[in-house]
Amino acid sequence: LKELAKTIKKGDKKSIFDALYRVGDIEAAKDIVAAAIPAVKSDDTRSDLIWWLGEQKDSKLDAAILPFLTSAAQNVKSEAAWALTKTGSKKALPILADMVAKGTDAELAAECLKCFPANVADAVAPLFTKASDKGKQSILGLLGGRCAKANKDIVFGSLFNNDAEVSKAAYDALASVVDKEDLITLFTFLESSGKDQQPQIQNAILAALAAFGIGNLSQANSIVGSVT
């Protein structure tokens, strides 16, 4: 372990990872790597060490990784975001959500949040109103990806957004958030929508119909009959 610390200080990446693969006490190695990262001179080596910490999937390492989520080096920031996603960091979740909303490294943050092991919808939904247009697109995508029915008002409210890309993101998310009570509204939208939106609305109608379940098909048929 003393050799590991010395090897990290020297900064040769190959030697560092050779030492890590030979180490017997992984728990001690985690502590050594976490403590050594700030002093590493190469961003390339630092990003690889952060990747290694993330692969341990240990939330106790979050404190060592979090400062690098705002690194000026993109590779370091990216590895920090993914490492914190793997550990499920509770402190990283609101930071990543804020990055999405502000459009700052929004693509990176959104990709991490797609697979973040937590309630992502509750983290991003409150930020929607003040988010940038790019941020709104990402948030809508996340709400759809998480089937966030509790936040469907955000999706419905964005269908006619002045920004065409925000509107498109809302239509794309629609089928994932609707429920059976939305069926009549969806048929109304279908009648007044343009041809570009009709496929998404039709998919949403199918999703709403599916929500009735086999035992309630007569109720669904009754609603369909009343609007067609």
Side-chain angles (χ1 to χ4, degrees), residues 191-225:
E191 292 176 356
S192 59
S193 66
K195 63 179 182 179
D196 289 341
Q197 292 80 39
Q198 286 186 356
Q200 291 101 318
I201 298 174
Q202 288 167 351
N203 286 336
I205 288 173
L206 292 174
L209 285 169
F212 280 91
I214 295 175
N216 295 303
L217 286 181
S218 60
Q219 183 184 359
N221 289 333
S222 176
I223 293 173
V224 172

Side-chain angles (χ1 to χ4, degrees), residues 6-66:
K6 291 179 181 178
T7 303
I8 293 174
K9 191 172 183 180
K10 290 178 182 177
D12 180 70
K13 188 164 61 172
K14 184 179 183 304
S15 299
I16 291 170
F17 279 91
D18 284 345
L20 282 171
Y21 287 128
R22 290 196 306 267
V23 76
D25 189 343
I26 291 294
E27 292 302 315
K30 291 179 191 177
D31 294 337
I32 290 172
V33 172
I37 285 178
V40 173
K41 294 179 180 179
S42 164
D43 286 329
D44 186 41
T45 302
R46 181 179 290 112
S47 67
D48 283 351
L49 288 173
I50 291 172
W51 168 85
W52 185 85
L53 290 180
E55 289 299 297
Q56 309 313 308
K57 298 179 174 63
D58 186 347
S59 60
K60 291 184 293 185
L61 298 170
D62 289 353
I65 303 170
L66 270 167

Side-chain angles (χ1 to χ4, degrees), residues 156-172:
F156 274 100
S158 303
L159 293 174
F160 306 105
N161 192 282
N162 290 332
D163 185 282
E165 293 302 315
V166 173
S167 176
K168 182 181 182 302
Y171 276 104
D172 288 343

